[in-house]
Amino acid sequence: MGAAVATLASYIVMAYGLFYFSQKFYKIEYEFAKIARIILLLFATTGIYYYIYYNVGLIFIYKLIILIGFIGALFALNVIKKDELIKMTKLLLRVK
């Protein structure tokens, strides 16, 4: 267990160092609020999934409802905006 914790700590320090020094040379404006909303939504969706899996029993319709709820929450939390979706759709349809 100690080796796993040490490995996790070293990867966290490495990732932070890489982020810090790379931002000095090439500044990227990350949308941290949007990233935080996505992570929280993923944790909530995972919690709901496993709650249903262990207490109710997971069938296809429940999975479909969770998926539709996740996509709807992405729009409700302004992670994906309608104009961004339209731009991406046009871009993807143009590439062949």
Side-chain angles (χ1 to χ4, degrees):
M1 180 74 176
V5 173
T7 303
L8 176 64
S10 67
Y11 273 100
I12 289 172
V13 169
M14 181 183 64
Y16 177 76
L18 182 64
F19 171 76
Y20 178 76
F21 288 109
S22 66
Q23 286 291 81
K24 281 185 166 185
F25 296 106
Y26 189 76
K27 183 79 171 159
I28 297 175
E29 296 294 328
Y30 291 105
E31 298 181 45
F32 289 112
K34 190 181 275 193
I35 293 169
R37 286 191 301 250
I38 292 169
I39 291 171
L40 289 174
L41 184 58
L42 284 172
F43 278 120
T45 304
T46 303
I48 292 168
Y49 176 87
Y50 281 110
Y51 176 79
I52 293 173
Y53 181 78
Y54 286 115
N55 293 321
V56 179
L58 206 54
I59 57 174
F60 177 74
I61 192 71
Y62 293 150
K63 291 180 183 180
L64 190 61
I65 291 169
I66 291 171
L67 176 63
I68 292 170
F70 179 79
I71 294 170
L74 287 175
F75 284 103
L77 294 174
N78 288 327
V79 173
I80 300 174
K81 295 181 179 134
K82 191 173 182 179
D83 58 330
E84 292 174 347
L85 183 65
I86 292 170
K87 280 184 195 176
M88 287 303 295
T89 305
K90 287 180 182 178
L91 182 67
L92 290 173
L93 292 176
R94 193 168 38 144
V95 175
K96 291 186 181 187

